[in-house]
C-alpha cells in the first residue's frame, strides 16, 4: 500500500507530456488499488488488531523500517486514499490541456505516498523522514504553475516554514525516544509516566509542538497556508482536507497518549488552538478571494481541532477526532466547488461572481450544503462535532476564568464561522448579478461534479444517521488516540435543550447579524482585506538574512585569496586553541627510520610543490610540476603496497590535469602579479603556518598508538565480503553507504557544471589552438578506446579479489574517451559515440541503490551483500557477489560524471566547423 503511490509516481512521470488520459487513469488506479489493500485489512483492524510490517533499516533500537496500521492510521489512510482518488478524477477535468498532466499526477502520487508514510510509520525516525517528504512534495505541488511568481513564492514559503518545523520535530523525537528508551511507537506510547517524569519532556514537547504547529498552520505560523492557494485547486482541496495540514493534528493525535495530560500540554496546545481559531475565523470573513476565504477557514478549523486536543479530556479527544473526519469531507467538497466556479467563471473574486444560482443551480446546491456543514447547520456532519466542541468548552475545569472565557471564545468562533459561511453562500450564489466575468458560467462536466456530490452525500449521511455512518470508524480511531477505553458519548442528532444547543443558536444568530452588518454598514466589498501579518514578518526575515549575507560577502569578497586567508586563519586559531585547551603533541609509538627511497620520493614531491609555487604565474607551465606532485603521491602508494590507491591516484591526476588544461584555455596565460612585498610575505607566513600545522597534526596521528580497524577488515574481508581485495570490499560492502553518498555527490557536481556552463560563451581564449590536430594522436586514440574498454572490463571483473574495481575501471574508460575528445574534438566524438552522460549517472545511481534495496526483501539491512561460488558447465566455479552490481553503479556514475564535467568545459566557445576538426 505504501509502495504503490511511489511506484505509480515513477510510472506516471515516464509518460509523455500529452498523455493526459493515461496519466489520470494510472493515478486513479494506483489510489484505488492502495485503498483496496487498506480495506482488505479493515476486518483485522476493526477487530482490535494492529497490523505490522518491518525491515531492518538503521542500526538503532526501535528504528526499523516499520509500518503500523491501527485505528488512527486506518482513518487517516482512508482519507488520504479516498479523497486522493476523488481529487485525481476531479483534476482530470480541471487541468488545462496545456498543463503537463503527467508531471502533476507524479507529484500528487509522491505526496500521497509521503502522507501515507507519516500515518503508517511505526517509529519516530521514519515518521520524520516521511514528514519531510510531505514538505518537499507539497513544494512541488504548490509551485506546479512555475511560470507564476505567486506560485513560486507560495511554494518557497511553505517549504521554509514547514521545513524548519520538521527540523524542530526531528530534535523533539530524538529527545522523546531518549526519554522513552526506544523510537518504536508501541514502546513510546506506553511510556507516558517515564517520559513526563523525564527532564527531557518539556524540551521534547515544545519541539514536537513546533513541528506540528508549523505543518498545521497554527498561529503565528499560519501565514504560509493562504499563499499556498497559488496551487491548482485540486492540490488545495487535497492539502487542506486530508493531507498536508492534517499531518500536524495527526501528530497531536498520535502522540496524545504519551504527551497529553500535563499542564504544559494544556497551556501550549489549547492557547495556540484558541488563538488560531479566533484570528483565522475573523480574517476569513474579510477575504475577497474565494479560495482565500476557504484557506483561512481551514486554519480556523485546524485551530478548533488543536484546542480540543489541548483540553486534556477524553471526550475532547473524541470530538477532535470526529471533527478531523467531518472537516475533511466538507472542506474537500468546498474547494472542489470553488474550483468549478473558478473554472467556469474565470475568476475567484467574490465581488464579481454573484448570482450563480441561476447559472449553476446544481453546483450551487452542492456548495450551499457544504458551506452549511462548515457553519454547523443541523442535519449536516459539521453540526455534530461543533456541538461536541461546545459541550467540551463548558468542561475545562482548569481555572474559573478559563471556565468562563473558553465557552465565550467557542461561541464567538462559531459566530465567525457562520459569518464566513454566509459570505460564501450569499456573495457567490445570490446577491444580484455577476459583474464583468471573463466567461459566462454554466454547469461543469458531469464527472467533474461527481467527487463533490459524493462528499456532500457523506456530509448529509453523517449528519442524519451519524451512529450508522461514522460510529464504528470514529470509535476505532478515537480508541487509538486515547490509548485506552472510550468515554461515554452519543452521536444522536438531538440531545434536548441544553447549553451547547443554546451556544449554537447564539453563534448562528450572531454570525448572520455580523455578516449583514458588515455588508450594510461597513461596506465589505469596498474594503481591502487585511494585508499585514506573518507574511510581512517572513519577508522581513528573508530580506534581513539576504542583507546580512551581502554584508558578509562584501567583507569576505576580496577574491579567492582573501577567502582562503580567512579560512586558514580561522583553522589555525581553532587548532591553537584546541592544542592549548586540551593538550597535544605526539605520543610516539614504535616506529622505524625512513629509508633512502622514501626520503628520495619525499624530496621529489617537495621539489614538485616548490616548482609549482615558483611557476604558478605561468599557468600552463605550472601544471607540469603539479602533475608530478600527484605522481609522487602515486609512487608513495606503490611503495606502501597500495596498488588500488596508486592506480586511482594516477588516473585521477590524469583527468585533473586535462580538466585544468581545458579550463586554463579560457584564462590568460599568466596570472597577474601579487601586489607588494608585504602581502606576499603575509601570505607566505600563513601558508607555512597552515602547512606546518597540518604536518604536525598528521605526524601526531601517525605516531600516536591507537586501535586500528585494519585487522578486522583483513580478517573479515573474505568470510563476510566474499573478496580478497580488502580495499574494494571496504568500498562496496563494509562502507557501501559512504560510497553511495560519494557517487551521488559526484553526479550532482557533474550536473551542476553542465547546468552552469550550458549556453555560456566566454571571450576569446588566451591562445588559439595550435593548428590541426596530430594525425598520430588520432590514430592512437582510435586504437586506445577498444583496448582501454577491454582493460576497464578486466579491471572491473577482477576488482573484488585483485587490484581494480568499478571506480578504477570507470576512470580508465573515461580517460580513453577523453583522449578521443582531444584527438577528434567533442562534436565528432559525441556524434559517433552518442554517450548520454546524464543517463549514465542516473542508471549508475539506480544500480547502486537498487542493489542495496534488494537486501531488504530478504530480511537484511540496506546494502547487505551476498556472495556465492556457483559451478557452471564447461566453466567451473565462478565467484559472484551482489556487490558487483553495486560496483557497476559506481563504474557508470564515474564514467558519466567525469565525461559530463569535462565535455561541458571542452565544448565552450563558438561552434567548430567539421572541416576544422
Amino acid at each position: 500500500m505504501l509502495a504503490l503511490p511511489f511506484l505509480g509516481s515513477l510510472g506516471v512521470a515516464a509518460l509523455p507530456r500529452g498523455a493526459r488520459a493515461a496519466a489520470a487513469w494510472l493515478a486513479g488506479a494506483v489510489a484505488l488499488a492502495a485503498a483496496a489493500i487498506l480495506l482488505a485489512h479493515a476486518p483485522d483492524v476493526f477487530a482490535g488488531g494492529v497490523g505490522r510490517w518491518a525491515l531492518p533499516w538503521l542500526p538503532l533500537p526501535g528504528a526499523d523500517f516499520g509500518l503500523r496500521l491501527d485505528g488512527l492510521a486506518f482513518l487517516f489512510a482512508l482519507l488520504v486514499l479516498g479523497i486522493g482518488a476523488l481529487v485525481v478524477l476531479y483534476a482530470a477535468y480541471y487541468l488545462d490541456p496545456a498543463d503537463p498532466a503527467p508531471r502533476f499526477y507524479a507529484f500528487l502520487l509522491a505526496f500521497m505516498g509521503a502522507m501515507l508514510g507519516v500515518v503508517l510509520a511505526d517509529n519516530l525516525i521514519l515518521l520524520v523522514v516521511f514528514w519531510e517528504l510531505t514538505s518537499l512534495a507539497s513544494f512541488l505541488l504548490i509551485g506546479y504553475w512555475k511560470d507564476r511568481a505567486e506560485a513560486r513564492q507560495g511554494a518557497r514559503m511553505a517549504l521554509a516554514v514547514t521545513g524548519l518545523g520538521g527540523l524542530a520535530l526531528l530534535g523533539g523525537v530524538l529527545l522523546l525516544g531518549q526519554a522513552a528508551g526506544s523510537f518504536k511507537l508501541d514502546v513510546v506510547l506506553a511510556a507516558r509516566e517515564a517520559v513526563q517524569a523525564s527532564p527531557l519532556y518539556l524540551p521534547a514537547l515544545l519541539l514536537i509542538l513546533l513541528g506540528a504547529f508549523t505543518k498545521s498552520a497554527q498561529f503565528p505560523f499560519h501565514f504560509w497556508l493562504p499563499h499556498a492557494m497559488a496551487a491548482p485547486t485540486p492540490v488545495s482541496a487535497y492539502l487542506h482536507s486530508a493531507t498536508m495540514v492534517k499531518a500536524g493534528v495527526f501528530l497531536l493525535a498520535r502522540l496524545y497518549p504519551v504527551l497529553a495530560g500535563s499542564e504544559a500540554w494544556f497551556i501550549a496546545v489549547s492557547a495556540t488552538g484558541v488563538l488560531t481559531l479566533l484570528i483565522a475565523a475573523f480574517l476569513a470573513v474579510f477575504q475577497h478571494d474565494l479560495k482565500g476565504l476557504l484557506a483561512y477557514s481551514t486554519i480556523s478549523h485546524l485551530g478548533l481541532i488543536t484546542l480540543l486536543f489541548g483540553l486534556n479530556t477524553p471526550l475532547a479527544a473524541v470530538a477532535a477526532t470526529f471533527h478531523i473526519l467531518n472537516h475533511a469531507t466538507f472542506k474537500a467538497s468546498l474547494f472542489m466547488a470553488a474550483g468549478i466556479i473558478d473554472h467556469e467563471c474565470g475568476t475567484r473574486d467574490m465581488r464579481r461572481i454573484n448570482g450563480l444560482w441561476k447559472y449553476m443551480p446544481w453546483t450551487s446546491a452542492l456548495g450551499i450544503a457544504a458551506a452549511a456543514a462548515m457553519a454547523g447547520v443541523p442535519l449536516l456532519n459539521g453540526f455534530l462535532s461543533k456541538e461536541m466542541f461546545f459541550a467540551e468548552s463548558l468542561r475545562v475545569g482548569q481555572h474559573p476564568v478559563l471556565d468562563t472565557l473558553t465557552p465565550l471564545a467557542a461561541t464567538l468562533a462559531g459566530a465567525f464561522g457562520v459569518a464566513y459561511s454566509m459570505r460564501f453562500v450569499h456573495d457567490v450564489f445570490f446577491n444580484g448579478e455577476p459583474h464583468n466575468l471573463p466567461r459566462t458560467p454554466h454547469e461543469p462536466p458531469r464527472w467533474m461534479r461527481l467527487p463533490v456530490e459524493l462528499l456532500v452525500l457523506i456530509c448529509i449521511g453523517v449528519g442524519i444517521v451519524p451512529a450508522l455512518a461514522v460510529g464504528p470508524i470514529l470509535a476505532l480511531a478515537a480508541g487509538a488516540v486515547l490509548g485506552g477505553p472510550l468515554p461515554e458519548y452519543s452521536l444522536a442528532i438531538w440531545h434536548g435543550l441544553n447549553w451547547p444547543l443554546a451556544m449554537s443558536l447564539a453563534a448562528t444568530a450572531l454570525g448572520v447579524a455580523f455578516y449583514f452588518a458588515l455588508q450594510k454598514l461597513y461596506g465589505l466589498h469596498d474594503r481591502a482585506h487585511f494585508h499585514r501579518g506573518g507574511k510581512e514578518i517572513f519577508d522581513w526575515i528573508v530580506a534581513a538574512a539576504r542583507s546580512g549575507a551581502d554584508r558578509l560577502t562584501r567583507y569576505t569578497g576580496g577574491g579567492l585569496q582573501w577567502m582562503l586567508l580567512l579560512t586558514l586563519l580561522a583553522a589555525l586559531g581553532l587548532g591553537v586553541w584546541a592544542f592549548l585547551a586540551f593538550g597535544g603533541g605526539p605520543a610516539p609509538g614504535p616506529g622505524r627510520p625512513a629509508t633512502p627511497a622514501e626520503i628520495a620520493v619525499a624530496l621529489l614531491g617537495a621539489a614538485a610543490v616548490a616548482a609549482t609555487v615558483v611557476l604558478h604565474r605561468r599557468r600552463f607551465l605550472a601544471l607540469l610540476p603539479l602533475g608530478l606532485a600527484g605522481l609522487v603521491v602515486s609512487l608513495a602508494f606503490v611503495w606502501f603496497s597500495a596498488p588500488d590507491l596508486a592506480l586511482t591516484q594516477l588516473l585521477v591526476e590524469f583527468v585533473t590535469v586535462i580538466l585544468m588544461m581545458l579550463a586554463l584555455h579560457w584564462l590568460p596565460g599568466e596570472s597577474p602579479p601579487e601586489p607588494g612585498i608585504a602581502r606576499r610575505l603575509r601570505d607566505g607566513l600563513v601558508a607555512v603556518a597552515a602547512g606546518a600545522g597540518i604536518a604536525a597534526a598528521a605526524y601526531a596521528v601517525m605516531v600516536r598508538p591507537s586501535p586500528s580497524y585494519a585487522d578486522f577488515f583483513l580478517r573479515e574481508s573474505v568470510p563476510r565480503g566474499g573478496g580478497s581485495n580488502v580495499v574494494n570490499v571496504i568500498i562496496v560492502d563494509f562502507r557501501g553507504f559512504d560510497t553511495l553518498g560519494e557517487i551521488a555527490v559526484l553526479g550532482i557536481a557533474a550536473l551542476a557544471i553542465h547546468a552552469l556552463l550550458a549556453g555560456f560563451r566566454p571571450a576569446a581564449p588566451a591562445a588559439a589552438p595550435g593548428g590541426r590536430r596530430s594525425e598520430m594522436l588520432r590514430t592512437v586514440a582510435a586504437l586506445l578506446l577498444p583496448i582501454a574498454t577491454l582493460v576497464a572490463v578486466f579491471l572491473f571483473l577482477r576488482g573484488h579479489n585483485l587490484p581494480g574495481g568499478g571506480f578504477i575501471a570507470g576512470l580508465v574508460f573515461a580517460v580513453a574517451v577523453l583522449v578521443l575528445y582531444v584527438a577528434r574534438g567533442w562534436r565528432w566524438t559525441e556524434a559517433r559515440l552518442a554517450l548520454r552522460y546524464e543517463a549514465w549517472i542516473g542508471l549508475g545511481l539506480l544500480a547502486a541503490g537498487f542493489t542495496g534495496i534488494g537486501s531488504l526483501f530478504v530480511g537484511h539491512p540496506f546494502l547487505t551483500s551476498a556472495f556465492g561460488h556457483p559451478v557452471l558447465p564447461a566453466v567451473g566455479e565462478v565467484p559472484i557477489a551482489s556487490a558487483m552490481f553495486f560496483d557497476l553503479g559506481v563504474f557508470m556514475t564515474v564514467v558519466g560524471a567525469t565525461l559530463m564535467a569535462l565535455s561541458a568545459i571542452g565544448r565552450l566557445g563558438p561552434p567548430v566547423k567539421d572541416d576544422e576538426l
Side-chain angles (χ1 to χ4, degrees):
M1 181 171 65
L2 178 62
L4 273 177
F6 292 109
L7 295 175
S9 177
L10 293 174
V12 171
L15 294 174
R17 178 188 177 97
R20 292 173 53 86
W25 276 104
L26 180 55
V30 166
L32 292 176
I37 296 173
L38 176 68
L39 294 177
H41 288 81
D44 294 336
V45 177
F46 276 91
V50 177
R52 290 182 176 86
W53 179 86
L55 283 174
W57 181 38
L58 295 177
L60 294 174
D64 290 343
F65 190 102
L67 305 180
R68 182 178 184 273
L69 182 65
D70 63 354
L72 181 63
F74 184 89
L75 170 64
F76 270 87
L78 188 63
L79 293 176
V80 170
L81 295 172
I83 294 181
L86 295 178
V87 167
V88 169
L89 174 61
Y90 176 83
Y93 294 90
Y94 177 87
L95 292 177
D96 189 89
D99 292 330
R103 182 161 62 91
F104 174 84
Y105 287 116
F107 294 163
L108 188 72
L109 288 176
F111 181 76
M112 182 186 294
M115 190 65 198
L116 278 178
V118 170
V119 303
L120 295 173
D122 189 31
N123 70 78
L124 299 177
I125 301 295
L126 186 61
L127 187 150
V128 174
V129 171
F130 283 112
W131 182 281
E132 292 294 67
L133 281 177
T134 62
S135 295
L136 293 173
S138 66
F139 169 80
L140 297 173
L141 285 170
I142 295 169
Y144 172 72
W145 285 326
K146 56 186 178 181
D147 56 322
R148 302 182 183 181
E150 63 272 16
R152 298 194 299 272
Q153 183 191 40
R156 288 196 300 266
M157 191 180 301
L159 182 62
V161 175
T162 61
L164 289 174
L167 293 177
L169 176 62
L170 175 60
V173 301
L174 290 175
L175 294 178
L176 179 59
Q178 183 73 18
S182 174
F183 295 103
K184 192 171 179 62
L185 209 52
D186 288 334
V187 178
V188 172
L189 297 181
R192 181 176 182 272
E193 289 77 10
V195 169
Q196 296 199 9
S198 170
L200 299 177
Y201 169 68
L202 185 58
L205 173 66
L206 295 178
L207 288 170
I208 289 171
L209 291 181
L210 186 60
F213 292 163
T214 52
K215 187 74 86 172
S216 282
Q218 297 297 285
F219 179 85
F221 310 107
H222 63 286
F223 57 89
W224 70 264
L225 191 57
H227 293 277
M229 293 301 97
T233 299
V235 174
S236 302
Y238 199 37
L239 265 63
H240 286 237
S241 61
T243 54
M244 179 75 166
V245 295
K246 286 290 174 61
V249 293
F250 167 80
L251 186 65
L252 297 180
R254 173 54 78 206
L255 298 180
Y256 187 88
V258 63
L259 296 180
S262 67
E263 185 177 358
W265 171 277
F266 171 76
I267 294 173
V269 179
S270 60
T272 302
V274 74
L275 285 173
T276 307
L277 170 64
L278 290 172
I279 293 172
F282 177 77
L283 293 176
V285 181
F286 297 91
Q287 303 301 309
H288 301 314
D289 185 339
L290 190 55
K291 286 176 66 176
L293 183 151
L294 295 178
Y296 277 101
S297 73
T298 296
I299 298 170
S300 178
H301 281 273
L302 292 170
L304 186 154
I305 297 169
T306 301
L307 173 58
L308 283 170
F309 279 125
L311 292 180
N312 273 340
T313 65
L315 275 174
V318 174
T321 308
F322 190 20
H323 199 67
I324 288 172
L325 176 60
N326 290 338
H327 177 261
T329 52
F330 65 66
K331 189 52 61 74
S333 59
L334 279 169
F335 266 106
M336 291 182 187
I340 290 173
I341 293 167
D342 183 20
H343 191 268
E344 301 303 329
C345 297
T347 181
R348 301 196 305 259
D349 193 336
M350 289 186 290
R351 295 168 295 184
R352 299 170 62 188
I353 52 177
N354 315 126
L356 292 188
W357 177 265
K358 293 190 298 184
Y359 301 92
M360 306 167 67
W362 187 243
T363 301
S364 300
L366 295 173
I368 291 170
M374 180 170 65
V377 173
L379 301 182
L380 293 164
N381 61 351
F383 171 76
L384 299 171
S385 50
K386 185 186 73 171
E387 292 289 289
M388 295 178 74
F389 166 56
F390 285 158
E392 289 309 302
S393 70
L394 296 167
R395 303 191 188 103
V396 176
Q398 295 282 339
H399 191 277
V401 175
L402 294 177
D403 291 346
T404 303
L405 291 180
T406 305
L408 291 177
T411 305
L412 182 60
F416 289 149
V418 171
Y420 61 66
S421 300
M422 279 291 300
R423 183 170 188 196
F424 180 91
V425 172
H426 181 256
D427 279 8
V428 175
F429 304 117
F430 303 101
N431 199 27
E433 291 293 322
H435 304 291
N436 301 320
L437 296 183
R439 293 190 286 269
T440 301
H442 56 79
E443 290 288 0
R446 176 71 185 84
W447 291 100
M448 185 179 185
R449 201 173 58 222
L450 179 63
V452 188
E453 294 169 344
L454 293 175
L455 291 168
V456 169
L457 186 62
I458 294 173
C459 294
I460 296 172
V462 173
I464 296 176
V465 286
L468 179 63
V470 80
I473 194 170
L474 175 60
L476 181 70
V481 171
L482 293 173
L486 290 171
E488 292 187 7
Y489 63 91
S490 173
L491 291 179
I493 60 176
W494 174 253
H495 294 94
L497 298 175
N498 53 23
W499 278 111
L501 180 61
M503 293 167 67
S504 183
L505 294 175
T508 302
L510 286 172
V512 172
F514 180 59
Y515 169 69
F516 283 110
L518 288 176
Q519 284 279 45
K520 301 297 183 183
L521 303 177
Y522 181 72
L524 187 60
H525 283 182
D526 300 326
R527 304 280 182 151
H529 61 73
F530 297 93
H531 288 287
R532 300 296 175 184
K535 176 184 179 298
E536 284 65 34
I537 297 175
F538 176 85
D539 291 340
W540 179 84
I541 292 173
V542 172
R546 287 178 175 172
S547 176
D550 288 340
R551 287 195 296 270
L552 182 62
T553 302
R554 285 195 297 271
Y555 178 72
T556 60
L560 179 61
Q561 282 185 319
W562 177 246
M563 295 181 186
L564 288 174
L565 176 65
L566 293 177
T567 303
L568 289 176
L569 288 175
L572 285 170
L574 289 172
V576 171
W577 170 78
F579 186 88
L580 296 177
F582 301 103
R592 62 172 179 82
T595 65
E598 292 170 349
I599 295 174
V601 170
L603 290 176
L604 182 61
V609 173
T612 305
V613 172
V614 172
L615 300 172
H616 75 278
R617 288 192 56 214
R618 301 173 65 182
R619 288 167 168 159
F620 276 103
L621 187 59
L623 278 180
L624 293 176
L626 187 64
L628 178 61
L631 180 60
V632 168
V633 175
S634 182
L635 289 175
F637 287 141
V638 172
W639 179 261
F640 288 108
S641 301
D644 286 88
L645 298 180
L647 269 173
T648 304
Q649 173 66 32
L650 189 64
L651 292 166
V652 167
E653 198 65 36
F654 191 94
V655 171
T656 304
V657 169
I658 293 181
L659 172 65
M660 295 294 293
M661 290 180 66
L662 290 172
L664 292 177
H665 177 68
W666 300 103
L667 294 175
E670 291 192 4
S671 60
E674 293 83 357
I677 186 66
R679 175 170 173 178
R680 281 184 284 174
L681 183 61
R682 179 204 68 187
D683 292 346
L685 290 175
V686 172
V688 170
I694 293 174
Y699 176 76
V701 170
M702 288 188 289
V703 301
R704 186 185 300 270
S706 60
S708 173
Y709 293 105
D711 291 338
F712 168 82
F713 291 126
L714 291 169
R715 184 177 63 253
E716 302 294 339
S717 176
V718 173
R720 291 197 184 186
S724 55
N725 182 3
V726 182
V727 173
N728 185 262
V729 173
I730 292 173
I731 290 173
V732 300
D733 190 340
F734 290 122
R735 300 190 63 178
F737 200 84
D738 287 349
T739 305
L740 181 61
E742 289 164 3
I743 62 174
V745 170
L746 184 64
I748 291 170
L751 292 171
I753 293 172
H754 175 77
L756 287 171
L757 296 182
F760 175 67
R761 290 293 176 264
R772 297 175 61 86
R773 292 180 174 87
S774 166
E775 194 64 37
M776 178 175 289
L777 182 60
R778 295 189 184 194
T779 304
V780 170
L783 295 173
L784 180 63
L785 183 60
I787 296 173
T789 302
L790 289 176
V791 172
V793 172
F794 171 73
L795 290 172
F796 172 79
L797 291 176
R798 78 177 207 157
H800 211 52
N801 292 288
L802 294 169
F807 194 88
I808 293 174
L811 287 174
V812 168
F813 182 76
V815 165
V817 177
L818 285 176
V819 172
L820 198 60
Y821 266 92
V822 174
R824 290 286 188 174
W826 67 268
R827 289 183 64 199
W828 186 95
T829 305
E830 291 193 352
R832 284 155 180 81
L833 294 184
L835 297 175
R836 293 185 57 193
Y837 306 130
E838 67 276 10
W840 280 67
I841 295 172
L843 291 174
L845 291 173
L846 285 175
F850 278 113
T851 303
I853 292 173
S855 59
L856 296 176
F857 292 100
V858 291
H860 289 281
F862 178 67
L863 276 176
T864 302
S865 66
F867 60 90
H869 298 79
V871 178
L872 301 181
V875 176
E877 185 178 290
V878 178
I880 295 178
S882 63
M884 181 179 68
F885 300 100
F886 183 90
D887 217 11
L888 179 62
V890 174
F891 169 82
M892 297 184 71
T893 307
V894 168
V895 172
T898 303
L899 294 180
M900 172 172 278
L902 292 174
S903 67
I905 299 174
R907 70 181 64 178
L908 291 177
V912 181
K913 297 179 181 179
D914 288 335
D915 57 0
E916 295 175 347
L917 296 178

